[in-house]
Amino acid sequence: MKGSISRKKLREFGFLVGLGLPLFIGWFLPLIVGHQFRPWTLWIGIPTIILAILKPNLLNYPFKAWMALGHILGWINSRIILGLIFFLILQPIAIIMKGFGYDPLRKRQDNSKSYRVNKKHHKVDLTRIF
């Protein structure tokens, strides 16, 4: 089938969620904030590991939901967050550079036929190129 997911991939997903959820959300995040371990994460993690070992095909729908969430977050990251970075960080830097007349690509040169930079008195030792 075209849309089928391999047992190996489902098993890896089961182990990732079964181990990652209790460690990260149950232990690491509460440790940073100063809270106790969250035991409810074990109620999700342990059955997920058991399903990953015995019947990984039962993790098909949770895997598809996880991937759909990943695609949504990827869309948000690639469009909204990177767009904000461009407009809030890179664009002001470009305007400031243009205001001070900084031209890192040396686009404004007298020789308009070529952008080549002629280096005089520059010798290359081909025995030590790196």
Side-chain angles (χ1 to χ4, degrees):
M1 282 201 256
K2 182 180 178 186
S4 66
I5 302 163
S6 70
R7 290 174 56 93
K8 180 182 177 191
K9 193 170 284 240
L10 291 172
R11 189 168 281 136
E12 288 173 356
F13 168 73
F15 286 132
L16 175 72
V17 171
L19 294 173
L21 186 77
L23 286 176
F24 188 70
I25 295 180
W27 178 71
F28 185 67
L29 285 178
L31 182 70
I32 291 174
V33 187
H35 293 276
Q36 296 290 326
F37 176 76
R38 314 243 170 167
W40 62 267
T41 57
L42 293 175
W43 289 100
I44 298 171
I46 292 173
T48 306
I49 291 175
I50 292 171
L51 283 176
I53 294 170
L54 301 176
K55 288 273 200 186
N57 291 334
L58 292 177
L59 295 173
N60 193 18
Y61 291 116
F63 178 79
K64 287 182 180 180
W66 184 261
M67 287 293 118
L69 177 66
H71 286 294
I72 292 168
L73 292 176
W75 185 91
I76 291 171
N77 183 35
S78 66
R79 287 168 178 82
I80 296 173
I81 295 174
L82 293 177
L84 288 173
I85 288 173
F86 176 78
F87 285 114
L88 297 177
I89 296 173
L90 296 177
Q91 196 65 34
I93 290 173
I95 292 170
I96 291 169
M97 287 170 61
K98 189 166 185 99
F100 283 108
Y102 181 65
D103 188 20
L105 296 178
R106 296 186 202 111
K107 290 172 122 178
R108 287 181 258 136
Q109 287 184 346
D110 296 332
N111 186 4
S112 61
K113 291 181 182 180
S114 173
Y115 290 112
R116 180 179 172 171
V117 176
N118 292 324
K119 293 184 178 180
K120 295 180 175 143
H121 307 297
H122 184 265
K123 295 186 180 197
V124 177
D125 184 8
L126 293 178
T127 61
R128 298 188 56 182
I129 57 174
F130 295 109

